[in-house]
Amino acid sequence: SEVEGWIWGRRLGVITRSASSAAHQKVCVVGGGPAGFYTAQHLLKDVQVDIYERLPVPFGLVRFGVAPDHPEVKNVISTFTQTAHHARCCYYGNVNVGTDVSVEELREAYHAVVLSYGAEGNRSMGVPGEDLEGVYPAKDFVGWYNGLPSNRELNPGLDCETAVILGQGNVALDVARILLSPIDELKKTDITQRSLDALAQSQVRRVLIVGRRGPLQIAGTIKELREMVNLPDTKPEMVASEFEGMAEALKVIPRPRKRLTELMLKTAVDPPAEKERQRRQAASRSWGLRFLRSPLEVLAGPDGARVAGIRLAVNRLEGTGDGSVAVPTGEVETMDCGLVITSIGYKSLPIDPAVPFDPRKAIVPNSLGRVQQAAGLYCSGWLKTGPVGVIATTMNNSFDTAHSVVEDLTSGCLDATSAKPGSTGIGPLLDKRGVKPVSFSDWEKINQEERRRGAAQGKPREKLLDVEEMLKTWTV
Amino acid sequence: MGLPPSSSPTGLRRAASQSSSDNKVTVHFVNRDGEKITAKGSPGDSLLDLVINEDLDFDGFGACEGTLACSTCHLVFSEEVYEKLGPVTDEEMDMLDLAYGLTDTSRLGCQVCLTRALEGMEARVPESVADIRQTQDITMGMTMK
């Protein structure tokens, strides 16, 4: 009822307008990561936006995905904070859409619903031995060192010499860098104390980053590769013969790919200058790229439970450039290792049966962000395009979806004339179900606490790892 | 300014002397809709500083706040202007390489600083994504940093 809605609004310190006096159309965004915030930013020019986020804390992969030693990438948070403070924007953390409230209920309460909940699942290798101890999806490993509550207890075993990472994208390079970075560098970042302590005890000295295809198909970008080349106390361990023929190929490729390949070639093939030669000789750790290898089986050690190696198919390339395909040659190889990290892609999951979902592509089928066969339902971010792209990519994709929403609201394609209750409709539902949403100013209290704890350790923040602790913090 | 009063419009002379007394540099931005937006900055300001100080409304510009962690302040110049912009570091090139619609005369606005020699320069804000079919970058299948 209106009164209930108003009281609920007051409790959160936000006076919500009663449904009948709403001057603005109301849109809700599901997911408080970069896609959600960028979509909201654009929508706020015209409409009221409510952002629902499953965790108490906002920002999604900017908080849980971006590497701790890449703090500048997280500067986008100031833009998101500005968005959250907009008079027409309301953040509701600790609300799990799909279980606490359904997408159908949101569609009844709002003029439009934008799904921006990203990709919380992993692509699996689909090979025997994937479930052995010591095999982790990169997303979980990254979540572990970035303080994602559900990866808190990962406790990856780091008591082996060699780690193999499958995949050669930026996530794989981030994982390699975190595994091999000097602790003195990591301890100044917002990496969790728990993972910092584990890494300080790590015996991992060698990391191999393995891809299905060749050097010209590597998905990582030059900045991350350069960080590996320049990583203190490490040396590159490449196989020069894997780069045969690259120099020729360099002549005809676009500049970004060319510079990246040149850097790889220089590192793998060129004899180093004296200073670099000495630096490499003194290094206690190593890293390398390996190409044309696909996982066939993860092998257990004598105990039958822990990984001791990985069997790989040797490939050749058919075709050239980006479209080339890895084809097994029939040859097989084994690499010894005590840690396997699969970095072969995140994957979106369906959260509500009412939402169309393409299980093959693992996205919500859409056209320009408009969900197919579901008027008033939209999607943005990785849920829309698949889990590829940096923050700027997501930003553009989200602006595009917001544009579609506004276009439909203005054209009359969507019925925006009848009043909708928005949060005054959803609030009482959540209340009845015992769900206590966390407001943005509550997050700011959690933020303050994290920064306070971090300052004591010379870190920008010490993240709270526990949802219960987060909820307790803002009520104090 | 050494120009006989009869041969130059008063406005131009006034503008010229204004520029030297203000110590400001004029920049003409061309936005994604093709509109020309003129702004003035001080020598030493970066083009990103100028966009922010003058509150120019370019969607998503300068996401990482000038720390070489994104490519959203991508600007395109004429060859003539590009030559005057100074050297590009590897660090800038690394991020510029990720920019959509990269050209040979592209720079990141946060790394280009105004000088008097750049008075009246034009800077085009390129499209960030032309077409959703191109959100999968053609040269790099990039993953989250």
Side-chain angles (χ1 to χ4, degrees):
Chain A
S1 78
E2 251 183 57
V3 174
E4 272 181 336
W6 188 82
I7 291 173
W8 184 78
R10 278 304 297 254
R11 192 196 300 160
L12 281 187
V14 172
I15 313 279
T16 54
R17 284 177 286 266
S18 68
S20 57
S21 72
H24 294 279
Q25 295 151 344
K26 295 173 180 165
V27 178
C28 97
V29 171
V30 178
F37 272 95
Y38 278 128
T39 307
Q41 180 186 323
H42 225 173
L43 286 172
L44 283 166
K45 298 181 190 182
D46 302 90
V47 301
Q48 159 88 31
V49 181
D50 291 340
I51 302 174
Y52 291 86
E53 160 60 42
R54 180 172 58 189
L55 286 171
V57 300
F59 310 138
L61 283 177
V62 174
R63 177 180 165 102
F64 297 116
V66 175
D69 57 352
H70 286 169
E72 322 78 22
V73 177
K74 304 190 203 196
N75 283 348
V76 293
I77 286 178
S78 27
T79 308
F80 299 161
T81 301
Q82 235 181 354
T83 297
H85 286 161
H86 193 290
R88 280 199 295 279
C89 185
C90 235
Y91 170 83
Y92 299 110
N94 198 38
V95 178
N96 192 333
V97 173
T99 55
D100 294 340
V101 62
S102 72
V103 171
E104 270 315 297
E105 285 167 334
L106 291 177
R107 286 175 79 184
E108 274 162 30
Y110 290 91
H111 292 104
V113 174
V114 184
L115 304 173
S116 312
Y117 59 78
E120 64 179 298
N122 296 297
R123 284 186 64 207
S124 62
M125 291 187 284
V127 303
E130 194 154 11
D131 295 326
L132 287 171
E133 262 173 62
V135 182
Y136 308 98
K139 187 181 143 298
D140 292 355
F141 191 79
V142 170
W144 171 70
Y145 64 64
N146 272 338
L148 184 62
S150 53
N151 294 136
R152 192 179 60 233
E153 309 297 342
L154 194 77
N155 298 328
L158 302 174
D159 54 355
C160 56
E161 194 197 349
T162 301
V164 166
I165 302 174
L166 280 326
Q168 297 175 324
N170 282 335
V171 177
L173 293 173
D174 277 356
V175 170
R177 191 177 72 252
I178 297 297
L179 278 171
L180 295 177
S181 278
I183 291 297
D184 284 344
E185 293 300 317
L186 291 179
K187 73 182 183 197
K188 307 177 204 162
T189 71
D190 66 5
I191 194 168
T192 67
Q193 195 58 40
R194 196 185 277 208
S195 51
L196 189 63
D197 291 342
L199 287 164
Q201 305 298 317
S202 165
Q203 289 169 33
V204 175
R205 293 289 174 269
R206 188 168 168 255
V207 177
L208 296 176
I209 306 159
V210 179
R212 284 172 306 134
R213 297 189 293 171
L216 288 173
Q217 286 75 40
I218 180 172
T221 52
I222 193 169
K223 176 181 169 196
E224 283 72 12
L225 184 70
R226 211 185 279 287
E227 286 171 326
M228 291 309 298
V229 172
N230 295 336
L231 198 55
D233 195 29
T234 68
K235 62 179 176 229
E237 187 201 303
M238 310 273 236
V239 177
S241 61
E242 295 200 288
F243 294 87
E244 258 154 39
M246 291 295 122
E248 265 309 297
L250 276 181
K251 295 176 184 165
V252 292
I253 54 183
R255 193 184 89 185
R257 177 63 69 188
K258 181 165 184 239
R259 291 179 74 242
L260 174 60
T261 310
E262 275 169 350
L263 181 59
M264 271 192 284
L265 266 180
K266 178 168 176 223
T267 309
V269 173
D270 291 357
E274 184 55 24
K275 192 168 162 205
E276 171 64 10
R277 196 192 63 77
Q278 284 175 9
R279 192 194 72 82
R280 291 184 188 182
Q281 192 151 54
S284 67
R285 302 176 175 196
S286 69
W287 65 280
L289 299 168
R290 294 290 181 273
F291 300 98
L292 297 171
R293 302 287 187 274
S294 294
L296 286 176
E297 184 179 356
V298 182
L299 307 167
D303 68 356
R306 258 204 85 89
V307 58
I310 185 163
R311 187 175 294 135
L312 304 160
V314 175
N315 299 324
R316 62 178 172 79
L317 275 188
E318 251 176 29
T320 54
D322 242 51
S324 66
V325 172
V327 174
T329 58
E331 255 187 79
V332 158
E333 202 178 85
T334 304
M335 268 181 201
D336 291 336
C337 59
L339 175 63
V340 171
I341 297 189
T342 56
S343 185
I344 57 177
Y346 289 40
K347 193 170 78 168
S348 291
L349 303 177
I351 62 164
D352 191 305
V355 177
F357 190 78
D358 178 339
R360 194 179 61 83
K361 291 192 199 161
I363 58 168
V364 171
N366 70 93
S367 175
L368 298 176
R370 296 178 172 98
V371 177
Q372 284 167 7
Q373 276 134 31
L377 197 57
Y378 301 79
C379 56
S380 69
W382 282 3
L383 185 62
K384 172 183 174 189
T385 59
V388 178
V390 297
I391 296 179
T393 325
T394 293
M395 178 177 78
N396 289 311
N397 143 349
S398 301
F399 287 172
D400 283 347
T401 293
H403 180 78
S404 295
V405 175
V406 171
E407 211 173 55
D408 293 350
L409 286 172
T410 326
S411 69
C413 202
L414 270 184
D415 175 23
T417 52
S418 51
K420 292 273 194 174
S423 57
T424 57
I426 299 299
L429 281 180
L430 293 176
D431 209 35
K432 238 178 278 179
R433 294 164 188 175
V435 177
K436 296 188 190 338
V438 171
S439 74
F440 202 77
S441 60
D442 297 333
W443 145 248
E444 283 170 331
K445 293 194 190 91
I446 297 171
N447 185 30
Q448 236 176 3
E449 176 58 17
E450 290 187 341
R451 291 178 68 80
R452 192 190 66 80
R453 295 188 188 192
Q457 314 265 59
K459 298 162 81 176
R461 75 175 59 245
E462 185 61 51
K463 292 176 187 171
L464 297 184
L465 303 183
D466 198 72
V467 169
E468 285 311 312
E469 212 184 347
M470 290 175 190
L471 294 175
K472 268 198 221 103
T473 303
W474 75 262
T475 55
V476 166
Chain B
M1 299 304 298
L3 292 162
S6 57
S7 67
S8 70
T10 332
L12 181 65
R13 240 185 31 185
R14 197 181 305 133
S17 62
Q18 280 269 324
S19 209
S20 75
S21 63
D22 280 359
N23 198 35
K24 292 280 198 184
V25 179
T26 306
V27 177
H28 304 290
F29 289 96
V30 179
N31 73 8
R32 290 171 181 136
D33 294 324
E35 292 164 344
K36 196 172 197 172
I37 296 154
T38 300
K40 287 198 193 170
S42 307
D45 282 352
S46 74
L47 291 177
L48 176 61
D49 290 333
L50 183 50
V51 169
I52 293 180
N53 294 342
E54 299 301 305
D55 218 2
L56 304 183
D57 187 24
F58 305 146
D59 267 340
F61 202 85
C64 76
E65 300 175 357
T67 55
L68 283 179
C70 76
S71 57
T72 60
C73 67
H74 176 205
L75 291 167
V76 179
F77 306 90
S78 67
E79 267 208 57
E80 198 197 322
V81 171
Y82 181 79
E83 300 298 318
K84 294 194 224 168
L85 297 178
V88 196
T89 60
D90 268 344
E91 236 195 315
E92 180 185 343
M93 288 267 248
D94 287 355
M95 296 316 299
L96 200 46
D97 278 355
L98 305 188
Y100 183 80
L102 180 65
T103 69
D104 290 334
T105 53
S106 286
R107 290 292 302 267
L108 292 182
C110 66
Q111 303 299 301
V112 174
C113 289
L114 291 176
T115 63
R116 303 302 315 284
L118 295 174
E119 170 61 34
M121 70 180 285
E122 194 173 281
R124 184 170 66 83
V125 184
E127 281 297 331
S128 29
V129 176
D131 191 292
I132 50 153
R133 285 167 295 178
Q134 280 163 315
T135 25
Q136 290 266 50
D137 193 274
I138 43 174
T139 54
M140 314 251 139
M142 294 179 287
T143 48
M144 185 76 198
K145 283 177 178 294

